[in-house]
Amino acid sequence: MTRRSEQLSEALQEYVEAHSAQPDQILRDLATETASRFGSDAGMQIGAEQGAFMSMLARLIGARSAVEVGTFTGYSAICIARGLTADGRLLCCDVSEEWTSLARDYWKRAGLEDRIELRLAPAAETLRALSAGTSFDLAFIDADKTGYVDYWDLIVPLIRPNGVILVDNTLSHGRVADPGVTDARVAGIRRFNDHAMADGRTELVLLPIGDGVTMARKR
């Protein structure tokens, strides 16, 4: 996801944010510090209304366990963790100590450090190493786009029936529909979109929020 939905004007984005659940001071401070410390990379952080949607979705499905592939500075992790049941747990997979050190600070500030486990390693390795019988109610994929197919194939078997998978950036700034765009990132997203759509284990909808979010329900 991105800090704003690509297809919305600035005025309409502001209107959407004003009429959605508002981020608390912790999330506002995290967004501000991420922008000040990481510059253009801050665009990888999800937007406020997107975070509210993820918290609400976790609550709606009664999620107790969740996994996130790609954590950045921890905004989405806070949103997911807040939506879990009282005994819920979130597993975060990332490779950056620099980015996730800020995430850890804000998880502690939010009182969520005992509900979030961070594993610093390639996500595919972490997922393959999970113990037999591991199951999740909710998953969020938001990492390197060329790896999406692999992450999907590793995560789908781990999701319980009627569990939900959210996948970020599946419109790739609108470039997925332009056959003239052939860079690796966009090609990876196109490959993923076709792969997920053909997967009979799930049903999907591609939502035009942020930079495009594919939401899948495990059958």
Side-chain angles (χ1 to χ4, degrees):
M1 296 184 186
T2 58
R3 293 298 296 163
R4 62 186 297 270
S5 293
E6 294 290 324
Q7 75 282 2
L8 299 184
S9 66
E10 185 174 346
L12 188 53
Q13 178 72 31
E14 291 176 356
Y15 186 88
V16 167
E17 292 178 1
H19 291 81
S20 300
Q22 298 300 298
D24 65 3
Q25 191 62 52
I26 293 171
L27 289 174
R28 291 197 297 271
D29 288 349
L30 175 54
T32 298
E33 187 167 354
T34 298
S36 66
R37 286 180 55 177
F38 300 115
S40 62
D41 286 337
M44 294 190 292
Q45 190 175 76
I46 67 169
E49 80 281 9
Q50 299 157 354
F53 168 72
M54 294 170 71
S55 296
M56 184 182 296
L57 180 62
R59 293 188 183 102
L60 285 171
I61 68 171
R64 181 173 179 269
S65 59
V67 60
E68 177 180 77
V69 175
T71 293
F72 192 40
T73 59
Y75 193 109
S76 56
I78 291 175
C79 295
I80 294 170
R82 284 176 168 174
L84 300 178
T85 59
D87 60 344
R89 296 279 297 175
L90 169 63
L91 172 63
C92 289
C93 307
D94 207 289
V95 294
S96 173
E97 175 64 40
E98 181 183 16
W99 290 341
T100 57
S101 64
L102 182 60
R104 289 180 190 272
D105 290 343
Y106 277 85
W107 296 342
K108 183 175 183 179
R109 181 175 165 186
L112 296 169
E113 72 271 28
D114 61 339
R115 303 180 65 184
I116 302 175
E117 177 187 359
L118 173 65
R119 298 193 187 180
L120 284 175
E125 292 182 10
T126 297
L127 295 171
R128 291 190 183 102
L130 294 174
S131 59
T134 297
S135 177
F136 298 104
D137 304 306
L138 177 67
F140 179 44
I141 301 173
D142 184 15
D144 56 296
K145 312 314 171 193
T146 56
Y148 271 22
V149 169
D150 289 338
Y151 300 142
W152 174 267
D153 286 342
L154 288 166
I155 283 175
V156 171
L158 301 174
I159 301 296
R160 54 105 166 148
N162 290 318
V164 172
I165 305 170
L166 298 174
V167 187
D168 186 23
N169 302 122
T170 49
L171 290 179
S172 198
H173 303 287
R175 295 181 297 167
V176 290
D178 183 351
V181 178
T182 59
D183 69 73
R185 175 189 170 101
V186 176
I189 291 296
R190 288 195 191 109
R191 200 161 47 245
F192 166 75
N193 288 340
D194 291 342
H195 183 78
M197 190 65 191
D199 192 333
R201 297 171 296 178
T202 64
E203 59 179 351
L204 289 82
V205 57
L206 204 169
L207 303 170
I209 59 175
D211 185 26
V213 179
T214 292
M215 184 167 72
R217 180 187 71 88
K218 177 77 172 289
R219 295 184 189 275

